[in-house]
């Protein structure tokens, strides 16, 4: 009986110690360029937003050229818009091509071709301390 009590007490201490360690922050996953671009494209074309917030830098800027006016948005604006359009699939053909790339940043061109026009997004991705994140998106319509 004494052995059983000792065993149960020891097991309880191990469980409590592991629960106490659970409060420690988990290291951030290193995000790749492809992961960031895929998350952006999935959000823009398929309405799948689960990874979007994690791949956008907090101070990212989003600009849309409409005629001669440039409209500017923040990360919060983009996330709000994405959530309002969750699961909305765009009727377009999407192509992704790398314009420029080095160890610190990359510019990716995302063309969304609709029946009457094409939306081109120039997505700038930077190698931050938390992995590759979107820092700027500039959109034009043709």
């Amino acid at each position: 009986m004494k052995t059983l009590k000792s065993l149960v007490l020891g097991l309880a201490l191990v469980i409590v110690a592991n629960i106490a360690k659970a409060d420690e922050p988990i290291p951030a996953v290193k995000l790749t360029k492809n992961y960031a671009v895929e998350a952006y494209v999935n959000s823009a074309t398929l309405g799948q937003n689960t990874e979007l917030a994690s791949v956008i830098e907090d101070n990212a800027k989003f600009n849309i050229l409409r005629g001669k006016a440039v409209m500017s948005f923040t990360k919060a604006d983009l996330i709000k818009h994405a959530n309002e359009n969750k699961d909305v699939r765009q009727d377009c053909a999407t192509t992704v091509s790398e314009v420029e790339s080095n160890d610190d940043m990359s510019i990716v061109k995302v063309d969304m071709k609709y029946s009457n026009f094409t939306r081109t997004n120039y997505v700038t991705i930077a190698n931050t301390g938390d992995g590759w994140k979107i820092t700027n998106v500039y959109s034009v319509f043709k």
Side-chain angles (χ1 to χ4, degrees), residues 3-133:
T3 306
L4 181 61
K5 286 181 183 180
S6 297
L7 184 61
V8 170
L9 180 60
L11 184 59
L13 286 173
V14 169
I15 291 172
V16 169
N18 283 332
I19 290 173
K21 287 176 91 176
D23 290 341
E24 294 176 10
I26 298 170
V29 174
K30 292 290 184 180
L31 303 172
T32 64
K33 283 191 270 188
N34 290 339
Y35 181 83
V37 172
E38 187 176 311
Y40 175 77
V41 170
N42 286 343
S43 175
T45 61
L46 304 174
Q48 298 173 351
N49 306 326
T50 54
E51 292 93 16
L52 185 62
S54 68
V55 300
I56 299 175
E57 187 65 26
D58 288 338
N59 61 353
K61 298 292 181 206
F62 301 88
N63 298 296
I64 299 174
L65 180 61
R66 293 255 176 155
K68 295 185 188 226
V70 176
M71 301 176 357
S72 296
F73 303 96
T74 64
K75 177 181 179 177
D77 296 330
L78 182 72
I79 298 296
K80 179 181 176 190
H81 175 73
N83 288 335
E84 290 170 352
N85 293 289
K86 185 176 183 209
D87 297 325
V88 174
R89 180 182 286 266
Q90 297 293 314
D91 186 17
C92 64
T94 305
T95 58
V96 178
S97 57
E98 194 168 63
V99 175
E100 183 71 33
S101 184
N102 61 41
D103 292 340
D104 298 318
M105 60 87 56
S106 183
I107 299 172
V108 177
K109 181 180 175 184
V110 178
D111 281 323
M112 299 168 60
K113 185 164 180 54
Y114 296 86
S115 60
N116 297 330
F117 66 95
T118 299
R119 177 180 177 170
T120 300
N121 300 297
Y122 293 96
V123 182
T124 304
I125 308 163
N127 190 0
T128 68
D130 294 329
W132 288 84
K133 292 195 174 189

